[in-house]
Amino acid sequence: MILNTELEYKGNLFPSKIISYKKDIDTLYFTSENNVVLQLTIERDSVLRFRYSTTGIFDTDFSYAISQFANKGFNHLEITENDTNYIITTSKLICHISKLDMRKSIYDAKDSSLICEDELGFHWEESYEFGGDIVKMSLKSQQSENYYGLGDKPVENNLKGKRFQNWVTDSYAFDRGTDPIYKAIPFYTALHHAKSYGIFFDNSFRSYFDFCHERRNITSFWAQGGEMNYYFMYGPDMTEVVSNYTDLTGRPQHIPPLWALGYHQCKWSYYPESKVKDIAAKFRELKIPCDALYLDIDYMEGFRCFTWSKEHFPNPKKMVKELANDGFKTIVIIDPGIKIDKEYTVFKEGLENDFFCKRADGPYMKGKVWPGECYFPDFTNPKVRDWWSNLFKELIEDIGVNGVWNDMNEPAVMDVPGKSFPNDVRHNYDGNHCSHRKAHNIYGMQMARATYHGLKKFSYPKRPFVITRAAYSGTQRYTSTWTGDNVATWDHLSIANQQAQRMCMSGFSFAGSDIGGFAEQPNGELFARWIQLGVFHPFCRVHSSGDHGDQEPWVFGSSITAIVRKFIEIRYQLLPYLYTTFWRYVGEGIPILKSLVLFDQEDPHTHYRNDEFIFGEKILVCPIIEPNAKGRRMYIPRGRWYNFWDNTIEIGGEEKWVDADIDSMPIFIKEGAIIPKYPIQQYVGEKVIEQLELDVYFKMGKESSEVYEDAHDGYDYKKGRYSLRNFNQVGKNNSLTIQQFKSGKYATSYATFKINVHGLPFKISSVEVDNEKIDITKLNGDVTFIIPKEFRELYIIGK
């Protein structure tokens, strides 16, 4: 006879005192009386991994986020103990683990200052509904501690006082504060006392982060299943934290082709073929630079992926070739939903090979998306990914499409609660079979991964280009991204600015927004202001819904068209600067955009700034985000900055008014910078670069700059066929010296530099290049002259 039908609700459970410890090379195991095991792995001197088991048994150690190329190894490791703690010391960190309850404190090994400490530390609840644990971690917030990152959250840069969840979600027309949205990037950077650390919670279940929201001085994160498994990364510079994170989760596997950094035009939808050609012709007629045109779902036959509408695009190969002859790359959309149609080859292959996701009791996962009822490939199965990658052969190799845009891959499902798969859908998870609760957040990532490998295979020897809407940590290895279906409002212009900064701070720099807004219709002023911002984002694309009118650069009148053209031309001039920045991002994980706090974390005025950012290393940008503005107040970071438009110098460290009518925006150049510029082109490769301009901004003292170049596509740069020029500038009261150090085997097409010197504090008496004098009577009034590209030292002497 059953006397009690109630389950015992145990509430939060905690580790008890440690009763044993063992070491296995770089991994330490601490076991408590109640069978909790803390596995501490020293990944690097500045990177520690904490992993907990509540049963004494760990799951298979598998993660889609962690790169196989992540660096491991350390210079120093010492383990000692006293009456109360085990003490683990590396060359960068000291970690104390309490013998009483496993709580941790982490210190800077250099000065013994406290970096991070547990509050309750690790604790958990048993999940009676699904089995396993709800795993939790709580940390004390230090005095004046602030928090940044977490991917695409549409809020201000500083996350303190807010709570979020990570559950990849189709969020059409999201608003400020909407949560969750398209991406799950459970990584944040914390800053206090001018020192920074990061935490990456590698758990793909639905997770939550609370930054002093529920309790004023407590930061916590938890997940609805899986393990408490997180990485602690120490800077102390924020840039080093992000670099450590991208080392761990991976960086793009190659530099994007230069054309991918140009201006892109997209709409839902450009069809039929005649419309696409009209758009292309208009760009060339109006001389507005553009490198890529996008085809949305209407190019397909009944929205069936990997097909073409015979009515709208009767000869796609011919069309793509003609667009290419005019300098346009063609990008097409591919969604995950495969229409249930026994006459449809892709559906038949998926069905025959059992490649589609299934419900718990065996039926296929069926959902409605654009084609109607669909089945969905299980991209967590390596056989499915391989099959999917091979489906791109015709699109890429035969027809000549240049890139693929993955959309609806959250995965989005129409007309159902939650707008996605139900929890009971089963996934292969690379042999670690699981439910959708665990696989949901990585589904879009694995689709992008399979797409990337298909394009890499069939684009070869060119570099692939992929863009995804949904992402988890590590997706930056495969693809670029945009921030999803935004709205044509002034607030969304501000949100786009903050989202792009946050994505870069979260290790995913190749990002941008739908310029002008996807939903609704901007007026000309809003569109112009959004273009001004968008040309300084790593990914630059206008995209809109056809339901709301046209959104090409010429539809808002001639005056707006002229402004749009002017700023797109600035982007094309700055392509060698942006390409160099991408080279650093791919090689070192340095964010392409830097929020002011990332640029100067020691200045407390930067900790809550949202609008201003550094583009690359040397250019300060601040968008105008209000209508009818003739300028704005902005914070100029410490140092001396040249106004891009008139070369006047601003002394930073305070907030100032900056004039910026509709045809302008606040742009400043860091003193000492050397900015490389190409001539304006209508598309990448239109012109042979016959001369590289170098804008030199004088600084009293020393400054270094770099220019990286290669063939702009292909993989020869990985064999040493690149050109890296390091410029060291030294400015004095009556002289300016620039030294060049070059490496790499690539020979650029140009033979000379056009040097434009700004801000010289003296009149020139002579100029020497490699100890030979130049005839200074040939100098232009604004101090411009031409010298051989292989010079070693340029010496400008004052009177």
Side-chain angles (χ1 to χ4, degrees):
M1 182 177 181
I2 298 174
L3 298 177
N4 187 349
T5 59
E6 294 295 319
L7 287 168
E8 178 188 0
Y9 181 71
K10 298 177 182 176
N12 283 333
L13 302 169
F14 296 84
S16 55
K17 71 177 182 180
I18 296 173
I19 57 171
S20 69
Y21 149 75
K22 71 173 183 177
K23 177 177 180 292
D24 182 10
I25 308 175
D26 59 355
T27 303
L28 316 177
Y29 296 87
F30 303 90
T31 304
S32 72
E33 269 185 342
N34 59 344
N35 211 28
V36 176
V37 179
L38 164 58
Q39 175 186 299
L40 167 56
T41 303
I42 295 84
E43 302 283 340
R44 295 167 60 187
D45 287 298
S46 57
V47 181
L48 305 178
R49 180 188 184 190
F50 299 100
R51 192 179 177 206
Y52 296 82
S53 166
T54 61
T55 63
I57 300 170
F58 286 95
D59 295 336
T60 302
D61 191 9
F62 175 80
S63 169
Y64 285 117
I66 304 302
S67 168
Q68 62 178 315
F69 304 110
N71 286 305
K72 291 179 73 74
F74 43 86
N75 296 310
H76 175 75
L77 177 60
E78 180 183 354
I79 299 107
T80 58
E81 61 179 292
N82 57 29
D83 291 343
T84 57
N85 294 301
Y86 289 96
I87 303 166
I88 299 94
T89 304
T90 74
S91 63
K92 297 285 184 68
L93 297 170
I94 301 170
C95 177
H96 289 194
I97 298 176
S98 168
K99 293 180 175 180
L100 181 64
D101 54 15
M102 281 191 181
R103 285 192 291 180
K104 311 176 302 297
S105 301
I106 302 175
Y107 302 85
D108 186 323
K110 187 175 180 180
D111 60 13
S112 298
S113 60
L114 179 64
I115 304 167
C116 181
E117 62 180 325
D118 288 357
E119 184 241 358
L120 296 176
F122 171 62
H123 50 294
W124 75 98
E125 282 182 63
E126 292 185 9
S127 174
Y128 293 115
E129 183 178 0
F130 296 107
D133 298 322
I134 300 166
V135 293
K136 308 176 183 182
M137 176 61 63
S138 64
L139 309 170
K140 293 180 182 178
S141 180
Q142 304 302 311
Q143 182 182 7
S144 301
E145 187 163 9
N146 293 302
Y147 306 92
Y148 307 89
L150 227 63
D152 62 344
K153 305 301 185 187
V155 296
E156 294 75 17
N157 286 345
N158 195 321
L159 303 177
K160 190 166 188 176
K162 298 179 174 65
R163 174 186 282 202
F164 304 95
Q165 63 172 304
N166 286 312
W167 188 251
V168 176
T169 303
D170 175 12
S171 301
Y172 172 79
F174 63 91
D175 207 346
R176 182 177 293 277
T178 299
D179 187 54
I181 58 171
Y182 297 98
K183 296 167 184 69
I185 302 181
F187 162 69
Y188 71 86
T189 302
L191 172 67
H192 65 87
H193 299 94
K195 293 184 178 182
S196 183
Y197 69 88
I199 285 179
F200 169 46
F201 181 25
D202 189 10
N203 183 311
S204 63
F205 284 81
R206 190 189 294 260
S207 63
Y208 299 81
F209 285 77
D210 186 302
F211 300 102
C212 308
H213 174 81
E214 183 178 332
R215 291 187 289 162
R216 184 179 176 188
N217 295 314
I218 306 301
T219 289
S220 56
F221 50 94
W222 63 100
Q224 292 185 340
E227 289 182 346
M228 175 52 62
N229 171 30
Y230 75 94
Y231 294 80
F232 176 92
M233 291 153 273
Y234 186 45
D237 294 332
M238 290 182 74
T239 302
E240 291 176 354
V241 173
V242 179
S243 182
N244 279 337
Y245 166 76
T246 55
D247 176 78
L248 188 70
T249 60
R251 295 161 187 164
Q253 297 185 13
H254 52 77
I255 306 168
L258 186 64
W259 65 261
L261 308 187
Y263 172 83
H264 296 197
Q265 183 73 37
C266 183
K267 180 182 181 177
W268 178 30
S269 283
Y270 288 136
Y271 72 95
E273 177 183 314
S274 58
K275 178 68 173 178
V276 178
K277 289 185 173 180
D278 287 346
I279 295 292
K282 194 73 171 176
F283 271 104
R284 298 298 179 244
E285 175 195 338
L286 296 176
K287 295 193 178 303
I288 300 171
C290 180
D291 261 281
L293 296 176
Y294 285 64
L295 302 180
D296 210 315
I297 55 176
D298 296 286
Y299 81 91
M300 304 174 193
E301 192 69 59
F303 307 133
R304 293 166 180 82
C305 293
F306 304 100
T307 68
W308 289 82
S309 165
K310 294 180 181 63
E311 177 186 356
H312 299 315
F313 297 94
N315 192 338
K317 184 173 183 176
K318 181 172 179 285
M319 181 196 71
V320 169
K321 178 86 166 53
E322 289 171 350
L323 288 172
N325 291 340
D326 227 359
F328 291 97
K329 303 294 191 290
T330 302
I331 317 295
V332 300
I333 196 169
I334 293 288
D335 291 349
I338 301 301
K339 183 175 179 61
I340 299 172
D341 175 0
K342 292 181 179 179
E343 303 303 314
Y344 172 31
T345 302
V346 176
F347 174 77
K348 286 196 295 183
E349 286 182 6
L351 202 62
E352 289 166 4
N353 290 284
D354 201 22
F355 284 163
F356 295 123
C357 294
K358 291 181 177 178
R359 304 293 295 268
D361 295 323
Y364 286 107
M365 164 61 210
K366 183 191 293 185
K368 178 187 172 186
V369 278
W370 301 117
E373 289 190 331
C374 291
Y375 289 166
F376 298 82
D378 182 7
F379 295 108
T380 73
N381 184 335
K383 292 181 180 178
V384 175
R385 291 197 299 270
D386 188 54
W387 167 70
W388 187 260
S389 71
N390 285 321
L391 293 175
F392 288 96
K393 183 180 190 302
E394 182 182 7
L395 268 180
I396 306 302
E397 192 173 83
D398 299 344
I399 294 174
V401 164
N402 304 99
V404 169
W405 160 31
N406 284 163
D407 196 16
M408 302 290 285
N409 56 340
E410 289 71 31
V413 179
M414 298 172 180
D415 303 330
V416 296
K419 299 190 290 188
S420 191
F421 292 2
N423 282 333
D424 76 324
V425 171
R426 294 308 192 241
H427 294 272
N428 179 279
Y429 215 86
D430 277 71
N432 303 281
H433 299 272
C434 68
S435 77
H436 195 66
R437 295 175 63 241
K438 183 175 182 178
H440 174 86
N441 280 335
I442 57 85
Y443 185 88
M445 174 197 195
Q446 294 309 297
M447 180 186 181
R449 175 187 183 182
T451 301
Y452 167 80
H453 284 296
L455 267 68
K456 187 175 183 181
K457 191 185 310 180
F458 298 116
S459 297
Y460 191 83
K462 302 298 185 183
R463 304 173 203 163
F465 174 70
V466 180
I467 174 172
T468 184
R469 190 167 75 176
Y472 181 71
S473 291
T475 310
Q476 70 272 3
R477 301 197 293 267
Y478 313 114
T479 176
S480 61
T481 191
W482 87 106
T483 57
D485 294 344
N486 57 6
V487 186
T489 66
W490 286 94
D491 191 45
H492 261 275
L493 170 59
S494 172
I495 291 168
N497 180 22
Q498 289 156 24
Q499 285 183 301
Q501 291 180 50
R502 179 173 293 105
M503 286 297 293
C504 290
M505 247 196 286
S506 304
F508 204 148
S509 276
F510 200 177
S513 68
D514 281 350
I515 295 173
F518 178 75
E520 301 180 13
Q521 179 76 2
N523 61 25
E525 182 189 13
L526 174 57
F527 184 78
R529 291 303 195 188
W530 212 316
I531 282 281
Q532 291 169 1
L533 170 66
V535 298
F536 290 101
H537 281 169
F539 177 61
C540 178
R541 182 185 74 163
V542 167
H543 181 38
S544 63
S545 167
D547 298 341
H548 304 103
D550 295 330
Q551 208 156 295
E552 292 75 44
W554 51 83
V555 302
F556 301 100
S558 59
S559 62
I560 296 299
T561 300
I563 294 167
V564 170
R565 180 190 299 110
K566 169 183 171 180
F567 275 87
I568 294 175
E569 287 177 348
I570 289 172
R571 182 176 179 95
Y572 275 74
Q573 287 179 296
L574 290 174
L575 280 178
Y577 175 84
L578 178 56
Y579 198 68
T580 300
T581 304
F582 262 93
W583 165 75
R584 288 202 71 198
Y585 166 59
V586 170
E588 304 172 49
I590 306 297
I592 291 175
L593 306 183
K594 299 173 183 65
S595 303
L596 290 196
V597 66
L598 201 64
F599 180 73
D600 186 0
Q601 69 191 53
E602 294 184 0
D603 179 0
H605 292 101
T606 68
H607 295 184
Y608 282 87
R609 302 304 303 194
N610 292 301
D611 298 343
E612 310 89 346
F613 62 90
I614 307 297
F615 173 66
E617 303 293 324
K618 314 285 187 181
I619 300 178
L620 169 65
V621 177
C622 186
I624 302 295
I625 55 175
E626 294 179 346
N628 306 313
K630 302 293 185 181
R632 63 161 296 156
R633 292 193 66 80
M634 63 174 284
Y635 186 77
I636 299 176
R638 297 184 297 185
R640 291 162 57 88
W641 299 83
Y642 286 78
N643 189 305
F644 174 78
W645 304 106
D646 61 16
N647 286 329
T648 56
I649 293 176
E650 295 286 351
I651 309 301
E654 60 180 297
E655 192 174 81
K656 297 185 178 183
W657 174 267
V658 179
D659 289 326
D661 210 336
I662 181 65
D663 63 344
S664 180
M665 75 179 292
I667 306 172
F668 294 87
I669 312 295
K670 185 181 179 185
E671 68 167 351
I674 296 179
I675 307 293
K677 290 163 67 175
Y678 282 163
I680 295 167
Q681 304 176 79
Q682 294 310 298
Y683 57 91
V684 167
E686 181 201 20
K687 297 177 180 178
V688 174
I689 308 301
E690 296 179 341
Q691 191 174 76
L692 183 69
E693 283 198 42
L694 297 177
D695 278 356
V696 176
Y697 292 86
F698 179 86
K699 175 183 179 180
M700 194 72 71
K702 298 179 180 179
E703 189 77 21
S704 63
S705 299
E706 296 171 313
V707 179
Y708 173 87
E709 294 171 284
D710 57 29
H712 297 152
D713 208 340
Y715 299 94
D716 275 1
Y717 76 94
K718 294 191 173 185
K719 303 169 188 173
R721 292 186 182 92
Y722 62 84
S723 168
L724 175 61
R725 302 178 186 275
N726 288 280
F727 297 105
N728 291 334
Q729 180 182 164
V730 179
K732 297 182 179 178
N733 285 327
N734 63 347
S735 70
L736 172 64
T737 305
I738 299 174
Q739 294 179 321
Q740 178 186 198
F741 304 90
K742 182 183 178 297
S743 60
K745 297 183 288 186
Y746 179 71
T748 58
S749 58
Y750 55 85
T752 57
F753 292 133
K754 181 181 180 183
I755 307 287
N756 306 311
V757 184
H758 305 277
L760 275 183
F762 53 81
K763 291 186 177 180
I764 298 173
S765 69
S766 65
V767 178
E768 296 179 3
V769 177
D770 295 335
N771 296 317
E772 292 187 9
K773 286 192 175 182
I774 290 179
D775 184 358
I776 61 172
T777 60
K778 295 180 181 178
L779 297 180
N780 295 336
D782 57 353
V783 193
T784 296
F785 47 92
I786 295 168
I787 63 173
K789 69 176 180 181
E790 302 301 344
F791 84 92
R792 294 185 179 181
E793 183 176 85
L794 169 65
Y795 187 35
I796 304 175
I797 305 148
K799 293 180 180 178

